[in-house]
């Protein structure tokens, strides 16, 4: 299960917590403009926008979990178990598989507006990457500096929602997640007035009482409400360091600690394997991993973007501690 968010100060930031019980040797993967993307049912793309993202450790093809292209368009795919429905090939549609969805969109389009138009003709087909790697049930948050949308593959095709809160978790579907925020409309970053009764006084005994009732568990619906509240009330300066730091704090409000979400014996738990943060204007990917609190950065624009070869950087997963004496 995962959580994605955007955050806007002077620039647009986007990223996600990748929560799962198993790591697939994730890598920062850069696809330069001339890397050839092969697709199952449509023609290959020989030239496209360059992109940077986090992908599974499969050298043959960049299986992106989240990514951003050189124009500032960013996407994250999140688990959508029990709801995602991939269809058969449809004549007259652009038939692509779910694992091709991020490369296809980031390779061809610059803005959320362009993507919304393109989605009218896209059909996600039920074709596995391989026998060893079947499709994951996913939905996607797509964002740029103008706003965000959510794309959900359902029985009757793709559902596309505007996303005014800039947040996505897993289940239930996005429209139901949005409706659930009505339950929290009285929450505030300010301490509340006593509206319980005029007959007696009640003490304001602590700061932060305006958020009493905000969920704190690790379920996807609770994480949606928690990070939506945190993001909506976040404050930071406009500098790169302050903006990036605040973004990690936003997603840190719903990170999963190893041991708190049991999956199976022996000792298998879901936890936040990594957190990503993209400065989409400058095409910089920042990340932290579960055992490495230090922020690591990779710059798309520092690479040879006219190359035809993938560029990989393995995630740094060992803790980096700075001793000062």
């Amino acid at each position: 299960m995962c959580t994605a968010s955007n955050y806007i100060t002077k620039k647009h930031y986007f990223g996600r917590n990748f929560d799962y019980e198993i790591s697939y040797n994730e890598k920062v993967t850069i696809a330069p403009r001339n890397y050839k993307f092969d697709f199952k049912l449509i023609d290959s793309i020989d030239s496209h926008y360059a992109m940077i993202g986090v992908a599974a450790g499969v050298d043959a093809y960049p299986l992106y979990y989240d990514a951003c292209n050189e124009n500032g368009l960013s996407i994250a795919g999140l688990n959508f178990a029990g709801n995602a429905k991939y269809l058969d090939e449809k004549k007259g549609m652009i038939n692509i598989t779910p694992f091709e969805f991020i490369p296809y969109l980031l390779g061809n389009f610059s803005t959320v507006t362009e993507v919304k138009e393109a989605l009218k003709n896209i059909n996600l087909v039920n074709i596995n990457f391989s026998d060893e790697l079947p499709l994951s049930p996913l939905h996607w948050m797509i964002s740029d500096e103008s706003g965000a949308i959510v794309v959900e593959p359902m029985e009757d095709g793709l559902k596309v929602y505007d996303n005014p809160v800039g947040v996505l978790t897993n289940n239930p579907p996005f429209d139901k997640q949005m409706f659930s925020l009505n339950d929290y409309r009285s929450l505030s970053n300010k301490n509340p007035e006593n509206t319980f009764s005029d007959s007696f006084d009640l003490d304001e005994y602590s700061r932060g009482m305006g958020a009493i009732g905000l969920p704190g568990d690790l379920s996807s619906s609770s994480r949606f409400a928690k990070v939506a509240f945190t993001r909506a009330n976040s404050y930071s300066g406009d500098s790169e360091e302050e903006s990036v730091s605040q973004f990690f704090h936003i997603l840190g409000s719903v990170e999963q600690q190893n041991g708190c979400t049991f999956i199976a014996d022996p000792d298998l738990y879901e936890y936040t394997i990594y957190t990503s943060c993209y400065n989409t204007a400058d095409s910089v990917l920042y990340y932290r991993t579960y055992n490495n609190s230090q922020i690591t950065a990779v710059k798309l624009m520092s690479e040879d973007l006219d190359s035809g070869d993938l560029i990989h950087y393995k995630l740094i997963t060992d803790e980096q501690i700075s001793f000062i004496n």
Side-chain angles (χ1 to χ4, degrees):
M1 311 300 269
C2 305
T3 304
S5 179
N6 64 14
Y7 181 58
I8 298 173
T9 55
K10 184 187 295 184
K11 296 178 180 178
H12 171 253
Y13 299 87
F14 176 83
R16 60 98 60 78
N17 287 343
F18 181 76
D19 303 332
Y20 205 55
E21 64 271 19
I22 301 170
S23 170
Y24 288 92
N25 300 313
E26 291 78 20
K27 300 176 182 179
V28 175
T29 299
I30 294 170
R33 299 180 186 117
N34 294 310
Y35 170 76
K36 182 180 179 182
F37 275 112
D38 290 320
F39 297 94
K40 294 288 188 180
L41 298 174
I42 63 172
D43 292 339
S44 300
I45 298 177
D46 295 326
S47 181
H48 51 79
Y49 296 128
M51 63 193 76
I52 182 172
V54 180
V58 178
D59 292 334
Y61 196 92
L63 298 176
Y64 282 116
Y65 302 166
D66 49 88
C68 170
N69 72 14
E70 60 184 297
N71 298 304
L73 183 67
S74 49
I75 307 177
L78 282 70
N79 195 27
F80 195 41
N83 287 298
K85 179 68 174 178
Y86 306 131
L87 306 177
D88 295 331
E89 183 178 0
K90 288 186 178 180
K91 188 175 181 180
M93 300 288 285
I94 299 171
N95 293 283
I96 57 177
T97 68
F99 64 84
E100 297 166 343
F101 192 57
I102 289 178
Y104 179 81
L105 293 182
L106 293 186
N108 287 293
F109 305 108
S110 300
T111 66
V112 167
T113 299
E114 291 178 3
V115 169
K116 286 176 74 173
E117 186 63 27
L119 288 170
K120 297 175 182 178
N121 299 309
I122 288 177
N123 177 49
L124 291 181
V125 294
N126 188 23
I127 300 177
N128 291 329
F129 179 75
S130 66
D131 292 339
E132 295 75 25
L133 290 173
L135 293 176
S136 298
L138 300 174
H139 59 174
W140 294 265
M141 179 170 162
I142 305 173
S143 185
D144 65 14
E145 61 181 6
S146 71
I149 60 173
V150 171
V151 180
E152 297 187 333
M154 307 296 279
E155 188 87 39
D156 55 347
L158 295 181
K159 302 291 185 184
V160 181
Y161 301 98
D162 290 325
N163 185 347
V165 299
V167 172
L168 183 64
T169 58
N170 308 104
N171 289 313
F174 182 73
D175 56 341
K176 293 181 174 61
Q177 294 275 39
M178 282 297 299
F179 184 82
S180 72
L181 292 184
N182 290 304
D183 294 340
Y184 308 105
R185 67 189 304 269
S186 64
L187 300 189
S188 173
N189 62 358
K190 301 178 176 64
N191 272 9
E193 299 295 324
N194 176 21
T195 59
F196 190 91
S197 174
D198 295 330
S199 302
F200 49 86
D201 291 331
L202 294 173
D203 291 336
E204 185 180 301
Y205 63 84
S206 173
R207 295 176 178 177
M209 294 176 68
I212 290 177
L214 184 65
D217 64 85
L218 298 175
S219 66
S220 58
S221 57
S222 293
R223 283 185 282 109
F224 185 87
K226 178 70 179 292
V227 79
F229 178 86
T230 305
R231 176 194 176 278
N233 290 286
S234 281
Y235 170 78
S236 71
D238 284 340
S239 72
E240 183 71 357
E241 293 77 12
E242 290 172 290
S243 299
V244 170
S245 175
Q246 186 67 9
F247 186 88
F248 279 102
H249 283 299
I250 291 169
L251 287 180
S253 70
V254 291
E255 69 175 316
Q256 298 206 43
Q257 294 77 33
N258 198 354
C260 292
T261 304
F262 174 79
I263 302 300
D265 288 322
D267 303 328
L268 192 61
Y269 303 93
E270 182 170 284
Y271 65 101
T272 301
I273 293 174
Y274 74 84
T275 301
S276 60
C277 168
Y278 298 84
N279 171 335
T280 66
D282 299 330
S283 302
V284 180
L285 165 58
Y286 301 91
Y287 72 85
R288 296 190 315 199
T289 61
Y290 190 82
N291 287 315
N292 181 16
S293 310
Q294 184 183 75
I295 297 172
T296 303
V298 184
K299 298 179 180 179
L300 176 66
M301 296 303 175
S302 294
E303 304 292 343
D304 177 9
L305 297 187
D306 291 321
S307 166
D309 299 320
L310 291 177
I311 301 161
H312 299 290
Y313 293 98
K314 187 176 180 180
L315 294 189
I316 300 173
T317 57
D318 295 330
E319 190 69 77
Q320 309 295 300
I321 298 174
S322 176
F323 289 93
I324 60 172
N325 64 1

Short mmCIF file of all heavy atoms in Angstrom, two decimals, residues 72 139 154 171 206 228 280 289:
data_model
loop_
_atom_site.label_atom_id
_atom_site.label_comp_id
_atom_site.label_asym_id
_atom_site.label_seq_id
_atom_site.Cartn_x
_atom_site.Cartn_y
_atom_site.Cartn_z
N GLY A 72 8.30 18.32 -16.62
CA GLY A 72 7.65 18.53 -15.33
C GLY A 72 6.40 17.72 -15.10
O GLY A 72 5.71 17.93 -14.10
N HIS A 139 -3.84 2.07 -9.71
CA HIS A 139 -4.37 3.32 -10.22
C HIS A 139 -3.27 4.36 -10.10
O HIS A 139 -2.24 4.11 -9.46
CB HIS A 139 -5.68 3.74 -9.53
CG HIS A 139 -5.60 3.94 -8.05
ND1 HIS A 139 -6.65 4.43 -7.30
CD2 HIS A 139 -4.61 3.72 -7.14
CE1 HIS A 139 -6.31 4.50 -6.03
NE2 HIS A 139 -5.09 4.07 -5.91
N MET A 154 -11.39 0.72 -14.55
CA MET A 154 -12.57 0.05 -14.02
C MET A 154 -13.21 -0.82 -15.11
O MET A 154 -12.76 -0.84 -16.26
CB MET A 154 -13.57 1.07 -13.49
CG MET A 154 -12.98 2.06 -12.49
SD MET A 154 -12.39 1.34 -10.97
CE MET A 154 -13.91 1.18 -10.06
N ASN A 171 -7.29 2.15 -1.49
CA ASN A 171 -8.72 1.89 -1.58
C ASN A 171 -9.47 2.69 -0.52
O ASN A 171 -8.89 3.04 0.51
CB ASN A 171 -9.00 0.39 -1.39
CG ASN A 171 -8.55 -0.42 -2.58
OD1 ASN A 171 -8.85 -0.06 -3.71
ND2 ASN A 171 -7.84 -1.49 -2.34
N SER A 206 -4.13 21.47 25.72
CA SER A 206 -2.99 21.12 24.88
C SER A 206 -3.07 21.85 23.55
O SER A 206 -4.17 22.18 23.08
CB SER A 206 -2.96 19.60 24.64
OG SER A 206 -1.95 19.25 23.70
N ALA A 228 -3.90 14.31 3.57
CA ALA A 228 -4.64 15.44 3.00
C ALA A 228 -4.66 16.61 3.97
O ALA A 228 -4.47 17.78 3.58
CB ALA A 228 -6.06 15.02 2.63
N THR A 280 9.84 18.93 -10.00
CA THR A 280 9.52 18.67 -11.40
C THR A 280 10.00 19.78 -12.32
O THR A 280 10.20 19.55 -13.51
CB THR A 280 8.00 18.47 -11.58
OG1 THR A 280 7.31 19.68 -11.28
CG2 THR A 280 7.49 17.36 -10.67
N THR A 289 15.36 6.09 1.97
CA THR A 289 14.96 4.69 2.11
C THR A 289 14.72 4.38 3.58
O THR A 289 15.08 5.17 4.46
CB THR A 289 16.01 3.74 1.52
OG1 THR A 289 17.25 3.90 2.23
CG2 THR A 289 16.22 4.01 0.04
#
